[in-house]
Each structure stands twice: as C-alpha cells, then as structure tokens.
Amino acid sequence: MQDKNHINYLFLIVLHIFLGIAIYILPFLSKIYTILIIIVGLFYVVKKQNKNNEILLVCGYIVGAEVLIRSTDGAYLYEFAKYGIIFFVFIGIFFSGFSKNAVPYWLYIVLLIPSVLIGIFTLKGQYDIRNTISNTISGPICLGVVSLYTYQRRIHINNINNILLAIALPVLSHLVYIILFNPNVKEVVTGTDSSGITSGGFGPNQVSTILGLGIFIYFSRILLQSKNNFYFIVNFILTAIFAFRNVVTFSRGGVFTCIVMIIFFTLNLYFLTNLKGKFKLNFFVISVVATSIFIWIYSTEQTNGLIQKRYNNQDPSGRVKESKFSGREQLAETELKTFYDYPIFGVGVGKSIEIRQQETGNKAASHNELTRLLAEHGAIGIAILIILFFTPIFLFFDNKQNIFMFPFLLFWLLTINHAAMRIAAPAFVYGLSLLKVYINEPLKTKYPE
C-alpha cells in the first residue's frame, strides 16, 4: 500500500509539472482548468458523499490553484476561489453536518453584519456598492463558513497531509509556470521593489504568499511523508526550488511567514518526538540551515546583490528607503485614524477606501486586515479578532496532537498583516487550525462533536 501511495504521489507531481507547462504554452487552458476543478470536484464529493471529508480536499485544491488561475486570467469571477470554497463547504455541511458547539463562529458571522449594513447605506454613488462590499467581506465570510464546518471535526493526521498535498500540487504547477515565464532571474532584476516579472507577471505579494505556503507544505512532507531516501530527496529539492523562486519575487511577506511556520512546526515536532527522533531532527535542522544559506547566496548572486538591499530596505544605490513596508504603514495609519474617529461601529465595509481617497487621494485597498477590521467594524472588530485568535488556542489545549495548529494560525495572522484577505488561503488554512486531529488514537466518528 505504501509503494502504491508513493507511485501515486510521483504521478501527481509529474502531472502537475506538465499542467504548469501546458498552461504556459496554451494560456486558454487556464479557463478550462477552472471549469474542470468545479466539475470534477463536485462529482468527487457527491460520489463519495463526503464520507471522509473529501470536501476539504477539493477546497484545498481550489486554494492552491487560485493565484495560478488569477495569473493566467482563468477565473470567470475574480473571487472564484472564495465563492467556490463557500459553495463546496455548504455541500459538505449537507452531507456531514457541523458542530453544534461552533458558537464562536456563529457569533463571528453575526458580528460581521452591522458593518455590512452601514456600508450599504453610507457608500457613495461613485462606488459599485455591491462589488466593493462583496470583495471586502468575501474573505471574512469564507473564513466563517469554513470554520463552521471544521470546528472540532475529527480527522486523522494522514488526512491533514492529504489536504495539504491538495493545496501544494497546483502551487507546483504555478511554480513551473513562473520558471517558464522568467527562466533567467539575473536578466530581469534591476531594482529592489517587488518584481512582477519574477512572479510570473502577477502581483508579487499574492504569489509570494502562495509560494510560501508551498514551501511549508513540502517541508512538512520531508519530515512526515518521506518514507525512503528517494522521496526525501524529491521533497527536499522541491522545497529548495520553491524557496529560491519565492525569495526572488522580492516580496518579503510570504518568505517571513513560511519561516515562522517552519520554526513553530519543527519545535512542535521536537517536543513530541523521542530522544532518537530529536537527534535526527537536530541533524535535519542543520541541513536545512545550510541549504537556506546556500539559497540566499545563490539568490544574491542571481540578483547582483539587489536582494540583500531589498531586505535591508535599500534602493539599488544603497540608500535606505523612507518606507520600511512599501507604503503599507500609511494605509494602516489612515485606518487607525478612522477607528479613532468612529470607535463603536466603524465606518462600514468598504467605506475606509472612500475615506482614504477623500483625505489622501489614495484609493488603494488595505493590505492589513487587522486595521481594516478596526476602521470598518470599530469595537466589534476587536471582538472579532479576539474570537479568531483565541478560539484555536483554547481548542489546542484539548487536542495537542494537532501539530499543525500554530503554523496554520500564524499563517492566517501573518498573511492578513501584509496581504489582507485578497486570496482564499488564509481563510481556509485558518479553518484547518480548528480540526480535532488524531495521530495515535483511532477515530470514533467522522462527525464533529
């Protein structure tokens, strides 16, 4: 059975490498790919009747494919992934129900409503009110719906690894697409700003985020799913290639986030393993650090030293930039000021963009979900953040076998600090932190408590 699983894994890796090549050569295939994800996913879930939480595999695959589909204009709706996940989760709830104890997330969804209503009545005519509100609130709603489904749902660690693989496979296709789009980094890097060219022609922030998640998943497979040297080497090489291409996007958020996830994941494993396992883990960590140093040196050489200046917050001439966060702190400051002016209910969903444009002339949407929540939801936003941050931690005390909880929670928290909820990944990965994971104990039931 294990050999069969290895063969299937290798087949999936090769298949998704060729998928990335095919979409690069024939970009229209991206639209067909999007349709196939929905059709095949729906057929798969209905056929299995979600008996083993197949819904999470399909949603995970959508998460992994989202930025690739956006990069190649394959999405018929820009928020295809968030709406797709919500659709499939409702199907999963139809077949498998949800926990009656998921009160925190019912409360969370209810707390989103006042700001939506305020936004409907206060946004002015020059804005497309429906699109402004839906684009802003789709991420938080997606998180709430996923959380209702995953709250204390019993699942084995092997199923978690399968869900993560479902995310990682289309991210591998995206990596292949990026490499083909820009095979020679040295020829195109001329500055220290985030690079759309080395990101496959799309937003470096979103690309860095999803590549960072890919790094973490393949790293976790090195430790948990490499049963022989061949698969250890395959996963190690994939992780290293992901790391290099993520660094040279010049977008720092996804890189820092995956490093923090890896540190917490490794520490969690270290405390759970025996003395022999600790010795092996120590050796592995030394190997990872050495490889990381090599990747950094190689990235420096390939960017003619510009990547070092990027991380030192310098321009190509070596002068320190005025902004440490590419101007994001100014956006956050305007939102905090809005919160101080409207501390109770906030200004309403989407309204902070209008206020910022009026006061500064900058129409940019927020990059920070935390300050956006404060500006648009007021004190209710604080309550929302308390629910979201502390609930997974409280659940962890009763389920310390969930070795992924802190990495998942930190991915959500760190990602929404630099990329808000522009993509579905933080919403879905947050939901996975609520699962009741078992490593040694048998599952009693597939239904949540």
Side-chain angles (χ1 to χ4, degrees), residues 5-56:
N5 289 338
H6 280 162
I7 293 170
N8 289 340
Y9 178 57
L10 190 59
F11 169 76
L12 290 172
I13 291 291
V14 173
L15 175 64
H16 282 81
I17 288 173
F18 278 106
L19 175 63
I21 296 171
I23 291 178
Y24 176 76
I25 296 173
L26 301 170
F28 75 89
L29 291 178
S30 182
K31 291 188 179 296
I32 298 174
Y33 177 50
T34 303
I35 296 173
L36 285 176
I37 291 174
I38 300 298
I39 294 175
V40 175
L42 186 60
F43 175 80
Y44 177 62
V45 171
V46 172
K47 181 181 179 181
K48 298 288 186 179
Q49 296 188 344
N50 201 44
K51 290 179 180 178
N52 290 300
N53 296 300
E54 286 82 5
I55 204 74
L56 295 178

Side-chain angles (χ1 to χ4, degrees), residues 331-353:
L331 299 179
E333 286 173 4
T334 62
E335 288 169 337
L336 288 175
K337 179 180 180 299
T338 301
F339 170 64
Y340 299 147
D341 293 337
Y342 302 89
I344 307 302
F345 293 106
V347 295
V349 171
K351 185 71 174 180
S352 63
I353 300 174

Side-chain angles (χ1 to χ4, degrees), residues 287-308:
S287 302
V288 169
V289 171
T291 304
S292 300
I293 293 172
F294 171 78
I295 290 170
W296 180 254
I297 293 172
Y298 183 68
S299 301
T300 301
E301 188 274 330
Q302 287 293 300
T303 60
N304 298 310
L306 291 173
I307 193 64
Q308 289 191 357

Side-chain angles (χ1 to χ4, degrees), residues 63 67 164 167 205-217 246 253-262 264 389 404-421 423-433:
V63 166
V67 184
L164 292 178
I167 298 173
N205 199 13
Q206 295 182 29
V207 172
S208 176
T209 297
I210 204 66
L211 290 183
L213 184 56
I215 293 170
F216 172 76
I217 294 172
N246 198 2
V255 176
F256 286 134
T257 298
C258 81
I259 290 173
V260 173
M261 292 174 73
I262 286 170
F264 273 81
F389 183 75
F404 288 104
M405 194 287 290
F406 279 108
F408 288 163
L409 181 64
L410 288 167
F411 174 78
W412 163 77
L413 182 63
L414 295 175
T415 299
I416 66 172
N417 265 280
H418 71 85
M421 298 189 76
I423 60 176
F428 180 74
V429 172
Y430 175 90
L432 298 181
S433 72

